[in-house]
Amino acid sequence: MARRQQEKSRQTKEELLVCAMRLFGEKGFAATTISEITKAAGYAKGSFYSHWPGKDDIFLEILERKMDQYRRDRSKKIQKASSFEEVFHVIWDFLESIMDDMNWSKVFLEFTIHASRDERLQTELNRSKYRLSNDIFSKLLGDFVCTDVPPEKIGSLNTALFEGFLIQNVLQTNVLDREDIRRAALLLARAHCFPESDQLGFPARTPECKE
């Protein structure tokens, strides 16, 4: 009996997640209500609250799942990459896969603004499972950095470029394209990573560096 109840609970949760993901994509985060999610899934509100405290929390779980899906493909490619450029392009392939889902890009940006007003959500969104965190960037590219610039700073700059372009893309400004932003990000990263490419005035160091 307990196993059957657990299976039923998992099924209910999955159906609520599917409906929430669809509605968030169609209507946006703010315009979607818990009542709409439960009605679309065919459950009472109590079923929702038995799994999540509120709408923020179901969104975070959906975001975590989406990022896991993107990362699975990235991880396979990272294992085959052996140079700075190869790793860098795998990272940007991963970022562009997020851009490809235009509806999700819009709702992600909307939720980011929403989270900026809530200290708990700010802390959550800065965790690596929800984004390309500075720590993950450092882990992926840290071995190739041959200057005193912290890899986390390089990761933060790349994330800022990506998220800025995401806004431009959503607004359809049509000033920059993906090749423009990837080229700029690569130039910026190389300038920070390698002394011979250092055009930004950061101090160099001289350890053995892989490339």
Side-chain angles (χ1 to χ4, degrees), residues 3 18 51 79 100 120 138 143 165 171 178 188 204 209:
R3 182 178 298 177
V18 168
H51 294 287
Q79 292 172 5
D100 288 336
R120 178 183 76 89
S138 175
D143 287 343
F165 181 69
L171 294 177
R178 294 186 183 192
L188 184 63
C209 301

Side-chain angles (χ1 to χ4, degrees), residues 3-45:
R3 182 178 298 177
R4 186 180 301 171
Q5 289 176 338
Q6 289 175 353
E7 181 58 37
K8 176 61 177 174
S9 177
R10 281 193 293 270
Q11 180 182 343
T12 299
K13 183 178 182 180
E14 289 302 316
E15 291 175 359
L16 287 166
L17 281 165
V18 168
C19 289
M21 187 182 303
R22 176 176 60 79
L23 288 168
F24 286 145
E26 291 174 356
K27 301 184 60 176
F29 177 77
T32 300
T33 66
I34 291 174
S35 294
E36 287 173 322
I37 294 170
T38 54
K39 182 179 180 181
Y43 293 103
K45 279 188 178 181

Side-chain angles (χ1 to χ4, degrees), residues 4-211:
R4 186 180 301 171
Q5 289 176 338
Q6 289 175 353
E7 181 58 37
K8 176 61 177 174
S9 177
R10 281 193 293 270
Q11 180 182 343
T12 299
K13 183 178 182 180
E14 289 302 316
E15 291 175 359
L16 287 166
L17 281 165
V18 168
C19 289
M21 187 182 303
R22 176 176 60 79
L23 288 168
F24 286 145
E26 291 174 356
K27 301 184 60 176
F29 177 77
T32 300
T33 66
I34 291 174
S35 294
E36 287 173 322
I37 294 170
T38 54
K39 182 179 180 181
Y43 293 103
K45 279 188 178 181
S47 297
F48 180 97
Y49 288 112
S50 67
H51 294 287
W52 304 280
K55 190 170 68 167
D56 292 338
D57 302 278
I58 191 173
F59 186 90
L60 287 172
E61 182 160 347
I62 291 170
L63 178 56
E64 182 180 359
R65 290 187 178 204
K66 296 278 279 186
M67 296 301 286
D68 281 343
Q69 176 185 334
Y70 296 136
R71 287 190 181 109
R72 278 194 293 272
D73 183 52
R74 184 193 70 191
S75 296
K76 295 175 185 176
K77 294 179 180 178
I78 283 287
Q79 292 172 5
K80 300 177 182 178
S82 59
S83 70
F84 167 81
E85 277 80 8
E86 287 178 357
V87 174
F88 179 88
H89 285 300
V90 169
I91 291 171
W92 272 84
D93 286 344
F94 158 70
L95 294 175
E96 287 188 7
S97 69
I98 299 174
M99 296 180 204
D100 288 336
D101 191 342
M102 181 61 75
N103 282 343
W104 188 252
S105 295
K106 291 178 181 178
V107 76
F108 172 75
L109 290 172
E110 181 188 359
F111 186 78
T112 300
I113 298 300
H114 167 74
S116 70
R117 299 181 176 90
D118 185 304
E119 187 174 346
R120 178 183 76 89
L121 293 179
Q122 282 183 15
T123 301
E124 282 295 308
L125 275 188
N126 277 317
R127 295 173 65 187
S128 61
K129 64 182 181 179
Y130 299 122
R131 64 206 303 256
L132 177 64
S133 74
N134 301 335
D135 289 340
I136 289 178
F137 197 99
S138 175
K139 181 179 179 181
L140 295 176
L141 279 176
D143 287 343
F144 301 99
V145 177
C146 301
T147 67
D148 288 336
V149 181
E152 293 83 1
K153 178 175 284 190
I154 303 169
S156 184
L157 286 167
N158 267 265
T159 300
L161 279 172
F162 163 70
E163 292 178 347
F165 181 69
L166 199 61
I167 294 171
Q168 296 263 324
N169 201 36
V170 166
L171 294 177
Q172 298 181 332
T173 61
N174 299 320
V175 176
L176 298 171
D177 60 29
R178 294 186 183 192
E179 286 304 312
D180 292 329
I181 201 69
R182 186 183 287 229
R183 221 172 12 248
L186 177 59
L187 178 63
L188 184 63
R190 285 197 63 88
H192 286 77
C193 288
F194 302 111
E196 68 273 15
S197 301
D198 189 3
Q199 305 166 16
L200 302 179
F202 288 92
R205 65 184 184 192
T206 57
E208 285 294 320
C209 301
K210 297 190 297 182
E211 185 178 11

